[in-house]
Amino acid sequence: MIVTLDTMGTVASLDVPLHEVRESDIDAVKAVFDRLEDRFSLYREDSELSQVARGELSLTRASEELRAVYAAAIEWRTATAGSFTPNRPDGVVDLDGIVKAIAIREAGEVLVDRGFTHWCLNVGGDVLVWGSPWTIGVVDPADRGALLCAVELRDSRVALATSGTTERGEHVWRTGTGDSFVQVSVCADDILIADVLATAILSGGRDFLDVATAQWDVDVLTVATSGELAMTPGMNLADSGRV
Amino acid sequence: MRIRAALGGIFASAAILGIGWQFGSAAAATFTKQDTAPSTNTTSTGTSTATASPSPSASVSASASVSASASPSASPSASSTGSVSGTFTGATESTQFGNVQVEIVVTAGKITDVKALRLTDQGGRSVQISNYAAPILRSEVLKSQSAKVASVSGATYTTDGYLSSVQSALDKAGL
């Protein structure tokens, strides 16, 4: 059974092939997304983060959850030497880069708590699976209607996030001086790590790619501006013979 | 161009480790460690935009023919590089990160596969070094396309973008 939900300016797809999914299960997942969107969306004037962006609320007086997420974003900024940052060039604090991944992670915990052992959750192109293996396609940045490849998520590689310059324009601010990428996919055991590093490698370029693969337990597939592909040895490309 | 790109790529990941390898008996190269090129540009197609200085050394060295110190494990018909086929194994090099050896598979003059035979057995830094992203042939990647996928990962799409996405088609098919 596949359930789709409009959330966070995109669409979430939940695929639960082996279980019956009740209305209450869907509501519990939706509640996670709604709560985080209500608090962090800059597209909503009444969100807490919008109040911070307008200067009506100082970070120090913001809710504990907002401060915790902001602190996590700052830690990622430090860990990635600035390749990932919650601070937009115009000075606005934008937590979109990690809030979606946090929502996916929490939604996954809700599903596990409710006894679901085999599912795939895709929110706007970031994928978290449970009960491996799952075969997941990666979009071709040159033709969004086509796939570049398919990778198998299994064992500890349960999360796959892709960042690119094709949708939403250049919403990533480049910081690197090396080779630039048009799309970066990262596999990890955690969707937040996968999502943040995909963004950071897209932003930081080749220089940060080597830092990321050395420092974190991740696998990466990059598409360079020239179209050239690079991949870490552990990335599991799907077996084309399997149907 | 493919070969050059692949060679440049091999070199990019190999240069840091100081790997010696060779390409048949016709064209072979032994690379020495180059401390000056840690962030080698792997693009050798000439279409990339201006990048930092380390890039030229890779493509120049990779396309040059120099003598080899090791012999191939298969005997190629080496009258011209266009007809070379076989599997070629580089010499094992001792590096500060452990022993390193690379094997390439050549079919009709084109590199069709690159394998790191022995990166290192030790933990820590060694394992991390062996996790570098290396260039991969597009055809290798594209082969996996025909697998049946359950979901699709892509750059964040908007609600509108979703409507025309592969994911949307998958969701519809599943309903």
Side-chain angles (χ1 to χ4, degrees):
Chain A
M1 173 176 186
I2 297 178
V3 180
T4 58
L5 298 167
D6 276 312
T7 185
M8 300 190 160
T10 183
V11 175
S13 308
L14 173 61
D15 187 355
V16 190
L18 304 176
H19 297 270
E20 184 65 33
V21 183
R22 289 155 300 185
E23 196 75 26
S24 60
D25 299 321
I26 297 166
D27 288 346
V29 168
K30 198 171 186 318
V32 170
F33 291 116
D34 288 348
R35 193 193 82 241
L36 288 164
E37 193 176 16
D38 285 350
R39 179 156 280 160
F40 292 100
S41 176
L42 288 175
Y43 297 98
R44 292 193 181 181
E45 280 192 11
D46 58 344
S47 76
E48 190 181 357
L49 196 59
S50 286
Q51 293 176 46
V52 173
R54 288 195 300 268
E56 295 164 14
L57 178 69
S58 75
L59 273 171
T60 49
R61 301 188 66 168
S63 67
E64 195 176 328
E65 183 175 38
L66 192 147
R67 281 183 286 128
V69 170
Y70 180 70
I74 296 299
E75 276 173 33
W76 274 110
R77 186 182 68 189
T78 305
T80 62
S83 288
F84 173 89
T85 176
N87 303 105
R88 283 196 333 215
D90 62 5
V92 169
V93 173
D94 185 342
L95 298 173
D96 275 3
I98 70 171
V99 165
K100 191 173 71 165
I102 289 171
I104 295 171
R105 188 158 75 179
E106 274 192 41
E109 285 164 3
V110 166
L111 289 168
V112 171
D113 284 349
R114 287 174 168 260
F116 294 100
T117 55
H118 190 64
W119 47 264
C120 171
L121 177 60
N122 184 334
V123 183
D126 291 339
V127 181
L128 178 67
V129 301
W130 202 259
S132 60
W134 282 86
T135 303
I136 309 297
V138 174
V139 162
D140 183 348
D143 176 6
R144 285 192 40 254
L147 297 185
L148 177 68
C149 64
V151 299
E152 207 165 271
L153 297 187
R154 54 179 145 94
D155 305 322
S156 64
R157 295 282 188 259
V158 292
L160 172 62
T162 298
S163 274
T165 55
T166 44
E167 283 251 4
R168 290 192 178 177
E170 286 258 353
H171 74 295
V172 172
W173 316 296
R174 294 189 191 283
T175 57
T177 53
D179 213 6
S180 62
F181 301 124
V182 290
Q183 184 168 294
V184 177
S185 298
V186 177
C187 271
D189 65 353
D190 179 84
I191 188 66
L192 185 56
I193 292 174
D195 201 5
V196 168
L197 290 183
T199 307
I201 294 168
L202 186 69
S203 160
R206 176 82 209 184
D207 294 345
F208 184 70
L209 170 65
D210 291 340
V211 172
T213 56
Q215 285 191 0
W216 283 275
D217 181 20
V218 294
D219 281 302
V220 182
L221 169 67
T222 60
V223 185
T225 315
S226 62
E228 191 170 279
L229 308 172
M231 206 174 80
T232 52
M235 184 69 95
N236 298 311
L237 286 178
D239 184 349
S240 53
R242 278 182 43 155
V243 178
Chain B
M1 225 45 194
R2 275 263 165 85
I3 294 176
R4 270 197 69 188
L7 285 170
I10 296 162
F11 184 72
S13 47
I16 300 154
L17 298 170
I19 294 174
W21 66 287
Q22 65 288 314
F23 175 53
S25 53
T30 297
F31 295 121
T32 51
K33 192 171 179 216
Q34 300 207 348
D35 294 327
T36 51
S39 57
T40 306
N41 181 4
T42 57
T43 306
S44 57
T45 55
T47 55
S48 64
T49 50
T51 49
S53 52
S55 54
S57 65
S59 41
V60 170
S61 304
S63 56
S65 294
V66 281
S67 63
S69 61
S71 52
S73 60
S75 299
S77 51
S79 51
S80 76
T81 46
S83 63
V84 171
S85 292
T87 302
F88 304 91
T89 310
T92 302
E93 284 274 316
S94 238
T95 75
Q96 59 178 309
F97 305 114
N99 292 332
V100 179
Q101 192 176 26
V102 168
E103 178 185 278
I104 59 171
V105 178
V106 179
T107 308
K110 286 184 162 44
I111 296 178
T112 52
D113 198 11
V114 181
K115 290 174 196 156
L117 291 182
R118 193 182 307 148
L119 279 162
T120 177
D121 301 315
Q122 295 121 10
R125 182 75 179 157
S126 312
V127 169
Q128 294 165 356
I129 287 288
S130 67
N131 197 35
Y132 273 104
I136 180 167
L137 293 176
R138 202 170 181 84
S139 56
E140 283 297 302
V141 172
L142 296 182
K143 267 200 293 190
S144 66
Q145 280 175 332
S146 55
K148 186 174 186 290
V149 303
S151 198
V152 177
S153 179
T156 307
Y157 40 71
T158 59
T159 310
D160 285 345
Y162 166 83
L163 294 175
S164 59
S165 69
V166 181
Q167 182 61 42
S168 169
L170 282 173
D171 290 341
K172 276 189 197 127
L175 286 174

